[in-house]
Amino acid sequence: MWNKYLIKRLKKIGFVPSDHDECIFYRGNCIYLLYTDDSILAGPCDKEIDQVVQDLRDAGLDLTDEGTLQDFLGVNIDRTSEGTFHLSQPKLIEQILKDLRLEKDDVTTKKTPAKVKTVLGAHLDSPEFDGHFHYRSVLGKLNYLEKSTRPDIAYAVHQCARFSSNPRKEHGEALKHIGRYLKGTQDKGIYMKPTSDEFEVWADADFSGNWLKEEAEFDSNTARSRSGFIVSYLGCPIMWKSQLQTQIALSSCEAEYISLSQALRKAIPLMELVQEMKERGINVGNTKPVVKCKAFEDNSGALTLAKAPAMRPRTKHINIKYHHF
C-alpha cells in the first residue's frame, strides 16, 4: 500500500517509471531510486534536485534530507585526482574490528583474507563456537563491506556465511582471520576512473573446489563448484559475487559455463537499464545510445558452447538451463 501511495505521487509530479527496474524513476535529468522508504536522487544539477525535493513535499510526502550519497551509503567517496575516485569504509571496518576484539594496535595482521589451500568445511566434530563475539552480526557487516568496496574478501566471507546456523571453532577463527586481514588494510578500497564506454564481464569457476571426502557423506554441498565474477562499466567494477552453484557440475567445462551464465544474468539487465538512460538523454558515459559488452572466459569448452550451442546428449541440460544469453 505504501509503495502504491508513493508511486502515485511520483507520477503526479512528472516522474516516469523505468521499463527495466520498478524502483527507478526519471524526470528530466534526475533519477529517483527507491529502496522501500529510503530514496536516492541523482542528477547533474543541485538546482534541479532541490526542485524535485520541493515538489515531493508539495505532493504531500513527509521527507527528510539525509545529506550526501556517502552519508546514505556509509561509504567514503574521495576524489583523488581529476576523474578518479576512491571508495572506502574505514569506519565500518573499525566497527567490525571492535566486534571481533581486534581493535588494539598490537594485533597481528594477515596478508590474505583466508588461509591459503585450506577449505572451510562444516567441522561437525569440532567444539561449537564459544560466542565471544556475535557471529551473525559480524557476518552482516562483512557482507555489506564486501558488497560495497571490498570484493577481495568475497570468497572468505561467503565461506563463513555458509555455516552461520551452526558455527564451530574453526569458523570463528576464520572470521577473525578476515578481521586481521582488514586490520592491515583498513584504509583500502576501490579506485574508480571511468574509461571505455562498455560493459565487461569477467567470469571464472572453481570446479568442485570445496570437495571434502570426509564430509561428503553428510554434506552434499562439498561437491558443488563455485562461481566468481566481476561486472564492470566504463572500466569501473560495479558488481561482483562469489557463490556456490545451485547444481552439481559434471565437468570443469560445465562449471565454467554456469559461472558465465550467472554473470551475464546480472549484466544483461544492467545493460538494458543503461540503454534506457542513454535513450532518455542522461549522460552515463558516451551519449551515443549503444551498449556493448565483452565477456571474458578462460575455458575453451565453455567458450565453444557459448558461441555455438550444439544440443549434444552431454550438454543438452546445460543449454536448456543456462544458455539464456
Side-chain angles (χ1 to χ4, degrees), residues 165-309:
S165 63
N166 187 17
R168 299 289 165 153
K169 174 174 166 286
E170 287 82 357
H171 306 130
E173 291 172 352
L175 273 187
K176 283 214 149 179
H177 190 111
I178 298 173
R180 293 179 188 277
Y181 171 71
L182 293 174
K183 179 77 175 178
T185 58
Q186 190 167 346
D187 61 335
K188 306 301 181 187
I190 291 180
Y191 285 92
M192 291 190 173
K193 186 172 184 178
T195 53
S196 61
D197 185 37
E198 62 185 13
F199 279 89
E200 289 186 342
V201 175
W202 305 79
D204 206 351
D206 182 14
F207 174 52
S208 197
N210 288 317
W211 175 252
L212 289 172
K213 185 179 179 180
E214 60 274 16
E215 295 192 2
E217 185 178 348
F218 54 84
D219 184 7
S220 60
N221 289 331
T222 64
R224 289 203 280 164
S225 301
R226 178 173 292 275
S227 292
F229 62 80
I230 298 178
V231 179
S232 68
Y233 180 58
L234 302 176
C236 302
I238 57 173
M239 183 179 288
W240 50 83
K241 198 161 192 178
S242 172
Q243 66 178 141
L244 287 181
Q245 296 176 358
T246 54
Q247 74 176 53
I248 294 174
L250 305 180
S251 66
S252 58
C253 171
E254 185 171 343
E256 295 275 0
Y257 196 78
I258 290 171
S259 181
L260 180 63
S261 175
Q262 289 175 330
L264 289 172
R265 196 175 296 174
K266 298 292 185 184
I268 291 170
L270 291 174
M271 292 170 63
E272 292 170 342
L273 194 61
V274 169
Q275 178 83 19
E276 180 181 67
M277 290 179 183
K278 288 187 174 186
E279 289 171 352
R280 289 183 170 276
I282 295 171
N283 185 12
V284 282
N286 192 318
T287 53
K288 187 179 179 181
V290 176
V291 177
K292 298 180 291 182
C293 179
K294 289 180 181 177
F296 297 86
E297 169 58 56
D298 63 356
N299 183 277
S300 58
L303 284 171
T304 301
L305 275 176
K307 292 177 180 178

Side-chain angles (χ1 to χ4, degrees), residues 76-88 190-193:
N76 289 356
I77 304 173
D78 300 312
R79 186 188 289 269
T80 58
S81 62
E82 188 59 39
T84 302
F85 300 88
H86 181 223
L87 278 62
S88 62
I190 291 180
Y191 285 92
M192 291 190 173
K193 186 172 184 178

Side-chain angles (χ1 to χ4, degrees), residues 133-163:
F133 62 83
H134 198 300
Y135 192 92
R136 291 191 184 187
S137 175
V138 169
L139 259 178
K141 292 175 183 177
L142 284 170
N143 266 320
Y144 187 66
L145 175 67
E146 176 261 312
K147 285 287 177 285
S148 301
T149 59
R150 296 297 296 263
D152 51 324
I153 64 171
Y155 169 76
V157 172
H158 185 263
Q159 278 288 76
C160 292
R162 288 182 58 212
F163 307 103

